[in-house]
């Protein structure tokens, strides 16, 4: 048997030793066929892959290379006998290597097998599999487009094997042996969080707790420096487990038990070895199974047609159906594309040995006569005939399909054909028309639902994906299983930031499909990509300048599945990945100019769409004008705040501030100090909401100092009062800043006129005094809070009243027994916040403008109300009510990405355990886990003092009652 090596330089070996492969193009042809994994590679593809500008003799040269390779690979083959290894299969060639003849295929089989064997066996198996690697996959062809995707895929599997071997080593026992390999692994791939997790775990398991924690700190620093993101949930959980010395970290599972890993080689129900996991599609599978049941009941043949976009899972669906039917006694036969000729079908009832098969092929009946042979076979058992990839089939194959579908009559045969709904050829369209009289069952595969996408991600991943990641993968892939798989693998290998990129394999597929469109259509799609994921047709026509040409391109793109119609005026890209691939293919200079043009068009057609105008101004890289960009970014940020999108608001406020800075540097007329202060305070507000407290405090101090320096009390009051961000902790984290803010507020309050005109400004200044004096034992804070509350009730301003009630709540911690008062404040605050949607609907019906801060912006006060009630009800001993408010706060935090909420609910969960559990060690572990979440929260008063206080209370409780007199 000839064996091939691609995990390093290309090699071919037989019983006699290495096989000489001649020149570089001979080697390239062999490598290209190996990449195809047994499928046919058309001669035209080989020509284009070998030469950038093929000459007239290119096809003949390929034939020469193939002939030379055949002589080298099968030197004992008699003259004029067909090759059994490198075969001719119109319209090209295929390499029919044995399943274990290629080192890459053996490596993948070992990776799959490791998930089904005990840990000790998996450790050894994966070690041997990694030993197959002699260098980068397809090393000498790494710069070729046709090899790049396969090489990248194999390299990702190699990294996965390294991590799975380490995981098996942790289970089987030799954790110390894994440390050196993992150190090298994270050094080479510092953004793979699983590598850091396994290294830290291995260090801890070998008694090196300090090194384990230092490793986690290195991981955090690396992720922040390289990507600007915090570690994922798995690393944070491990750190908390190490700090609490969780027992499961040092108790290995029995080495005789299988390694319970969930990855690309772990199979779902209905998936066979070497296939992708199969999830969902129960309705579609049920429809096909009902058709099969009808075939058995009636004894008559039926046709089923399965269609969908590339990667939708058509083949996987039919293979799953085939396995289920085989389990009930059916026979199945399968062929794809042009393999499905009547003369070459792998009929299961024909002789199995090669000589008999060749004889049968020479005497196979013509297409129409094939019906009799199928009917005769179906008398022995029901028969499933699967025609895969009909969009690649030739006319003979399609004639066979329609003949079987319409001419079998009384025979228990289910004929199933699959094809891409976006790649309908003329012969296929005609064949479908002829088959329509058979009244086929039609199954269309759209995208997977979000829960099904989550199930597929979990089947592929080696770690539990956060819900937000599943939502992102589903939104970006449109539920297309191929896109889901590629995004998941990219996330596994490159981390969270990779979820917002386009996997190389997906990009190649999309570009290949785009190449089938006319050049004008591709140009218009690239213009549409600049407009965005959703496309206003009027904007696209204005940008392109030719309405009829745009409409023709839109029709082509709709038929090809790149676009989806929303109505007569709006389109959207079928997948975010399609949009991003097209967008990335536009040169940066051209993109900037097109964004500026789109900003002008949208401003003219939809002047109220400030979000879209801001987006295009920002993407124009200055070509839309910095002052104009700042103006629209501010308007969009204010809208983001009103609909409670704090992360988006922070991004837009920062962009507005940067645009104002550029305008000032260029000496543009117009940017005022007031505009800059508004942007600074807007950014400070948004950062506080999303948990960036340190930067928020710095910006707030800067803005207040700048406003006071201008000597305008109204401006200073506006700047101080604009920071209407709820607060829950009872101690100031920056006492010096709080003192500065209180002094500035008192000075401004004294400088404001005392009439009703400035009542709201006075109330906001008073609330600032109450909030910043929350830890002050004097009465000024409480007086200010109560006065602000009276003003807010008099003005009837719901948002102002909610803010004033926040100040009141913070002034109820100066003595015990005030939990009931806090509960009453929390209940009123909750009623105020939850009335916001109703009030907003009423304003919309009446046409009344929405005040700043109203509407969905009350979400922060809803969260605050639940946290106040959580604390108050816990203080009153009503743990059931406290649990409900904790759960409600966590739901809102998850929905709106509010990280600091979990700090408070996590500490409540630990406190509740202390009340209800008698296990002191368990409670201490819970407190330490809660403390781990405080790191980097910019709340030093809590971070530095709360854990020691909690542990001291436990020590006192463990010591028992104090002696009399103490």
């Amino acid at each position: 048997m000839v064996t091939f090596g691609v995990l390093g330089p290309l090699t071919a070996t037989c019983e006699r030793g290495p096989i000489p492969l001649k020149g570089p193009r001979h080697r390239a042809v062999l490598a290209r066929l190996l990449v195809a994994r047994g499928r046919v590679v058309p001669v035209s593809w080989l020509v284009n892959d070998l030469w950038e500008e093929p000459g007239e003799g290119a096809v003949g040269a390929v034939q020469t290379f193939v002939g030379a390779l055949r002589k080298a690979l099968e030197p004992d083959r008699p003259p004029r006998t067909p090759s059994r290894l490198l075969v001719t299969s119109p319209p090209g060639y295929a390499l029919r290597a044995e399943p274990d003849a290629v080192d890459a295929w053996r490596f993948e089989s070992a990776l799959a097998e490791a998930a089904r064997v005990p840990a000790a066996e998996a450790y050894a198996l994966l070690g041997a599999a990694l030993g197959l690697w002699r260098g980068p996959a397809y090393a000498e062809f790494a710069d070729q487009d046709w090899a790049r995707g396969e090489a990248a895929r194999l390299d990702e599997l190699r990294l996965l094997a390294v991590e799975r071997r380490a995981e098996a080593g942790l289970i089987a026992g030799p954790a110390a042996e894994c440390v050196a390999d993992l150190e090298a692994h994270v050094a080479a791939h510092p953004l793979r969080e699983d590598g850091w997790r396994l290294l830290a775990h291995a260090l801890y398991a070998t008694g090196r707790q300090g090194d384990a924690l230092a490793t986690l700190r290195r991981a955090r620093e690396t992720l922040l420096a390289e990507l600007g993101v915090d570690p994922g949930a798995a690393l944070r959980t491990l750190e908390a487990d190490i700090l609490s010395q969780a027992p499961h970290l040092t108790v290995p599972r029995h080495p005789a038990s299988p390694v319970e890993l969930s990855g690309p080689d772990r199979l779902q129900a209905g998936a066979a070895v070497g296939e992708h996991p199969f999830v969902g599609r129960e309705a579609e599978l049920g429809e096909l199974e009902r058709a099969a049941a009808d075939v058995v009941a009636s004894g008559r043949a039926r046709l089923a047609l399965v269609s969908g976009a590339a990667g939708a899972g058509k083949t996987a669906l039919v293979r799953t159906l085939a396995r289920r039917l085989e389990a009930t006694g059916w026979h199945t036969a399968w062929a794809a594309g042009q393999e499905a000729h009547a003369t070459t079908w792998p009929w299961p009832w024909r002789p199995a040995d090669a000589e008999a098969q060749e004889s049968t092929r020479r005497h196979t009946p013509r297409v129409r006569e094939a019906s009799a042979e199928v009917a005769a076979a179906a008398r022995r058992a029901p028969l499933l005939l699967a025609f895969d990839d009909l969009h690649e089939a030739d006319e003979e194959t399609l004639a066979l399909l329609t003949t079987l579908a319409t001419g079998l009559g009384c025979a228990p045969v289910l004929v199933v054909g699959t094809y891409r709904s976006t790649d309908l050829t003329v012969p296929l369209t005609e064949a479908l028309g002829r088959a329509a009289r058979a009244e086929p069952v039609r199954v269309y595969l759209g995208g997977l639902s979000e829960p099904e996408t989550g199930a597929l991600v979990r089947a592929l991943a080696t770690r539990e994906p956060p819900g937000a990641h599943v939502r992102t993968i589903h939104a970006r892939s449109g539920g297309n299983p191929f896109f889901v798989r590629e995004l998941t693998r990219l996330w596994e290998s490159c981390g969270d930031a990779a979820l917002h990129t386009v996997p190389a394999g997906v990009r190649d597929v999309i570009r290949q499909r785009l190449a089938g469109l006319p050049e004008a259509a591709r140009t218009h799609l690239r213009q549409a990509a600049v407009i965005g994921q959703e496309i206003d047709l009027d904007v696209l026509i204005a940008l392109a300048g030719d309405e009829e040409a745009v409409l023709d391109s839109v029709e082509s793109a709709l038929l090809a599945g790149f676009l989806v119609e929303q109505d007569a005026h709006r389109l959207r890209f079928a997948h975010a990945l399609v949009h991003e691939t097209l967008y990335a293919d536009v040169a940066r200079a051209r993109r900037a100019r097109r964004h500026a043009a789109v900003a002008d068009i949208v401003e003219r057609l939809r002047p109220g769409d400030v979000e879209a105008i801001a987006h295009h101004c920002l993407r124009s890289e200055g070509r839309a004008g910095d002052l104009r960009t700042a103006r629209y970014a501010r308007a969009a940020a204010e809208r983001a705040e009103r609909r409670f999108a704090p992360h988006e608001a922070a991004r837009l406020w920062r962009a507005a501030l940067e645009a104002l800075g550029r305008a000032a540097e260029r000496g543009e007329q117009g940017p005022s100090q007031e505009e800059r202060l508004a942007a600074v305070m807007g950014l400070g507000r948004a950062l506080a909401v999303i948990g960036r407290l340190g930067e928020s405090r710095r910006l707030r101090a800067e803005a207040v100092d700048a406003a006071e320096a201008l000597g305008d009390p109204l401006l200073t009051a506006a700047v101080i009062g604009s920071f209407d961000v709820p607060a829950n902790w009872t101690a100031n984290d920056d006492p010096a800043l709080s003192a500065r803010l209180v002094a500035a507020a008192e000075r401004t309050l004294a400088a404001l006129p005392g009439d009703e005109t400035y009542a709201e400004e006075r109330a906001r200044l008073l609330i600032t005094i109450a909030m910043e004096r929350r830890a002050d034992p004097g009465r000024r804070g409480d007086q200010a809070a109560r006065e602000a509350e009276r003003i807010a009730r008099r003005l009837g301003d719901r948002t102002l009243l909610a803010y004033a009630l926040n100040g009141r709540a913070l002034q109820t911690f100066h003595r015990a027994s005030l939990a009931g008062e806090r509960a009453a404040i929390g209940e009123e605050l909750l009623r105020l916040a939850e009335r916001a949607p109703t009030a907003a609907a009423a304003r919309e019906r009446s046409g009344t403008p929405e005040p700043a801060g109203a509407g969905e912006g009350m979400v922060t006060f809803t969260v605050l109300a639940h946290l106040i009630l959580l604390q108050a009800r816990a203080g009153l001993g009503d743990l059931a009510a406290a649990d409900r408010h904790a759960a409600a706060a966590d739901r809102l935090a998850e929905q709106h990405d509010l990280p600091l909420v979990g700090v408070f609910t996590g500490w409540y969960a630990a406190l509740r355990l202390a009340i209800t559990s008698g296990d002191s060690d368990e409670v201490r572990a819970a407190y330490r886990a809660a403390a781990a979440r405080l790191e980097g929260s910019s709340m030093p008063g809590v971070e530095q003092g709360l854990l020691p206080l909690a542990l001291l209370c436990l020590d006192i409780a463990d010591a028992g009652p104090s002696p009399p007199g103490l």
Side-chain angles (χ1 to χ4, degrees), residues 344-666:
T344 59
W345 250 83
W347 306 115
W349 54 85
R350 287 186 179 170
D353 62 279
E355 184 178 347
Q357 284 186 2
E358 185 62 31
S359 173
T360 304
R361 289 192 184 97
R362 288 196 298 271
H363 300 92
T364 298
R366 299 173 66 84
V367 168
R368 290 191 177 277
E369 297 171 349
S371 298
E373 186 177 356
V374 171
R379 284 195 286 271
R380 294 191 288 274
L383 180 61
L384 169 68
L385 299 181
F387 289 75
D388 202 17
D389 294 338
L390 289 174
H391 52 279
E392 297 178 353
D394 59 16
E395 293 187 8
E396 181 183 349
T397 300
L398 295 171
L400 175 61
L401 170 78
T402 54
T403 299
L404 293 175
T406 59
L408 282 175
C410 295
V413 179
L414 178 61
V415 180
V416 179
T418 75
Y419 61 93
R420 292 180 187 170
S421 54
T422 56
D423 294 358
L424 291 175
T425 62
V426 172
L428 176 56
T429 302
E430 293 174 350
L432 293 177
R434 293 194 300 271
R437 66 187 185 197
E439 298 182 4
V441 174
R442 296 182 185 273
V443 174
Y444 176 77
L445 298 186
L448 297 172
S449 66
E450 186 176 307
E452 290 169 341
T453 298
L456 180 54
V457 173
R458 281 185 284 275
L460 293 163
T462 59
R463 49 190 165 131
E464 179 65 21
H469 288 8
V470 171
R471 289 192 292 273
T472 298
I473 291 173
H474 180 257
R476 289 174 56 70
S477 67
N480 180 288
F482 169 67
F483 292 173
V484 171
R485 290 194 299 271
E486 293 296 304
L487 277 171
T488 301
R489 288 175 181 138
L490 196 61
W491 169 63
E492 283 268 276
S493 61
C494 300
D496 295 351
L499 287 179
H500 300 283
T501 62
V502 182
V506 173
R507 188 185 301 114
D508 291 342
V509 169
I510 291 171
R511 285 173 175 162
Q512 181 186 19
R513 292 181 55 215
L514 285 167
L517 293 178
E519 177 58 34
R522 295 199 296 274
T523 298
H524 290 143
L525 280 176
R526 287 191 287 268
Q527 291 172 327
V530 172
I531 296 172
Q533 173 71 22
E534 297 193 356
I535 307 146
D536 184 322
L537 198 50
D538 291 334
V539 175
L540 178 58
I541 290 170
L543 181 64
D546 187 335
E547 182 171 7
E548 284 303 315
V550 168
L551 293 177
D552 288 342
S553 296
V554 165
E555 287 183 6
S556 298
L558 287 169
L559 290 172
F562 292 113
L563 296 177
V564 176
E565 285 184 310
Q566 295 183 286
D567 55 36
H569 311 287
R570 294 180 304 152
L571 307 158
R572 64 174 174 82
F573 282 99
H575 305 285
L577 300 175
V578 172
H579 168 228
E580 291 168 22
T581 297
L582 283 160
Y583 186 81
D585 286 345
V586 181
R588 183 174 175 180
R590 191 185 298 273
R591 279 204 306 262
R593 285 158 175 77
R594 283 182 178 170
H595 276 299
V598 173
D600 294 340
I601 294 167
V602 176
E603 190 176 43
R604 185 177 71 251
L605 297 179
R606 301 194 310 270
D609 192 352
V610 296
E611 292 91 346
I613 301 170
H615 167 76
H616 291 292
C617 286
L618 290 169
R619 290 293 186 93
S620 73
E621 301 191 38
R623 297 195 65 83
D626 289 321
L627 285 180
R628 180 186 179 206
T629 298
R631 183 173 72 253
Y632 279 112
R634 174 180 176 174
E638 289 170 344
R639 284 197 182 176
E641 286 187 304
R642 284 197 289 270
R643 69 175 187 271
F644 196 70
H647 292 271
E648 178 70 2
R651 183 185 69 82
L652 289 165
W653 279 122
R654 195 182 296 278
L657 196 56
E658 290 170 353
L660 288 171
R662 289 193 301 271
E665 289 174 2
R666 295 174 183 175

Side-chain angles (χ1 to χ4, degrees), residues 113-114 116-127 168 172 255-257 259:
E113 180 64 17
R116 298 185 291 273
V117 299
E121 292 182 34
Y123 183 80
L125 185 63
L126 290 171
S257 63
V259 185

